[in-house]
Amino acid sequence: QVQLVESGGGLVQPGGSLRLSCAASGSFFRIATMAWYRQAPGKQRELVATITGGDSTNYADSVKGRFTISRDNAKNTVYLQMNSLKPEDTAVYYCNYRLISKEYWGQGTQVTVSS
């Protein structure tokens, strides 16, 4: 069983920045594919960014050039640096861990972009 604990959400003005963190338990973090998803009110959960164990990254078109996903295997932590935030980025952000057939989710952290 893997536990994921997210932090770093909050209220920020348009154009601002936030960094989300997700700390994972377990011994296989370094080879797991980690991802951030988000879900806005009334919308389906959508993939924001992924990073593989080999540090390959992928981003949703809506966040390319603004968000950066990274990982620190020594700390079992994945990050999402969010810059130039827009009101449409408002959502609950979830951390996701995938390794072979296993998948785990964090509890989510709220990000609100508003003036």
Side-chain angles (χ1 to χ4, degrees):
Q1 187 76 11
V2 171
Q3 294 187 335
L4 303 172
V5 179
E6 297 127 334
S7 60
L11 173 63
V12 63
Q13 293 187 341
S17 297
L18 282 175
R19 188 177 80 155
L20 306 183
S21 299
C22 172
S25 65
S27 304
F28 300 104
F29 175 84
R30 62 180 178 83
I31 59 173
T33 293
M34 300 299 298
W36 288 96
Y37 286 74
R38 68 185 181 187
Q39 187 167 18
K43 295 188 177 181
Q44 290 189 331
R45 190 173 296 190
E46 64 174 355
L47 179 64
V48 176
T50 61
I51 184 166
T52 69
D55 287 338
S56 294
T57 58
N58 192 37
Y59 297 91
D61 287 342
S62 58
V63 307
K64 280 181 181 176
R66 300 188 299 122
F67 290 11
T68 302
I69 190 170
S70 62
R71 65 193 298 160
D72 184 339
N73 292 334
K75 296 182 178 180
N76 273 25
T77 299
V78 63
Y79 304 98
L80 185 67
Q81 178 66 45
M82 305 185 293
N83 299 328
S84 303
L85 282 160
K86 305 175 181 180
E88 51 264 44
D89 294 318
T90 295
V92 178
Y93 284 71
Y94 296 91
C95 179
N96 175 270
Y97 172 116
R98 279 185 290 124
L99 180 62
I100 309 176
S101 61
K102 300 292 187 181
E103 184 175 42
Y104 301 93
W105 293 90
Q107 81 285 357
T109 186
Q110 176 70 46
V111 171
T112 302
V113 185
S114 175
S115 55

